[in-house]
Amino acid sequence: SVNLLDTNYRSKWNDRAKRALKKYEQSGAEIKMVDAETFIKAFKETHVKHWYKRDYINNYKRIRAFAPDKVRQWLVYYNNKAVA
């Protein structure tokens, strides 16, 4: 998680990335690793237009079928709601 990055690693970031991290930390949002079901549910519920949403989910399931330990699912939560 971004929250666990040490300062030595962060020191290599450019100014734009540092500002974005600062805004994220002040926002109260959290990045969490979730299971596949939670990830799919949140992706389906996004209000962003995504022309290939069904194809993306099917491809995601196929990838998880042969390499589940290689696929990581991260969601951003704000006020206990998945937002990204």
Side-chain angles (χ1 to χ4, degrees), residues 3 23-31 76-79 83:
N3 300 332
K23 284 178 84 173
Y24 156 74
E25 290 175 333
Q26 293 173 346
S27 73
E30 292 182 86
I31 299 173
V76 177
Y77 286 88
Y78 181 72
N79 291 334
V83 293

Side-chain angles (χ1 to χ4, degrees), residues 2 11 15 23 25 28 36-37 40 54 64 76 79:
V2 170
S11 68
D15 289 338
K23 284 178 84 173
E25 290 175 333
E37 291 175 21
I40 291 170
R54 189 173 11 154
R64 289 235 356 122
V76 177
N79 291 334

Side-chain angles (χ1 to χ4, degrees), residues 6-69:
D6 66 8
T7 51
N8 186 32
Y9 180 78
R10 290 182 186 190
S11 68
K12 298 174 186 173
W13 291 9
N14 65 28
D15 289 338
R16 183 176 180 192
K18 289 177 185 176
R19 281 192 308 273
L21 179 61
K22 185 177 178 182
K23 284 178 84 173
Y24 156 74
E25 290 175 333
Q26 293 173 346
S27 73
E30 292 182 86
I31 299 173
K32 297 180 183 177
M33 185 177 239
V34 297
D35 62 7
E37 291 175 21
T38 305
F39 183 79
I40 291 170
K41 182 180 177 218
F43 187 77
K44 285 181 179 179
E45 292 175 354
T46 58
H47 297 290
V48 176
K49 286 187 178 183
H50 197 295
W51 291 2
Y52 305 106
K53 189 179 281 192
R54 189 173 11 154
D55 293 337
Y56 179 88
I57 292 171
N58 288 336
N59 289 334
Y60 168 78
K61 288 178 180 177
R62 281 189 214 121
I63 292 168
R64 289 235 356 122
F66 69 83
D69 57 325

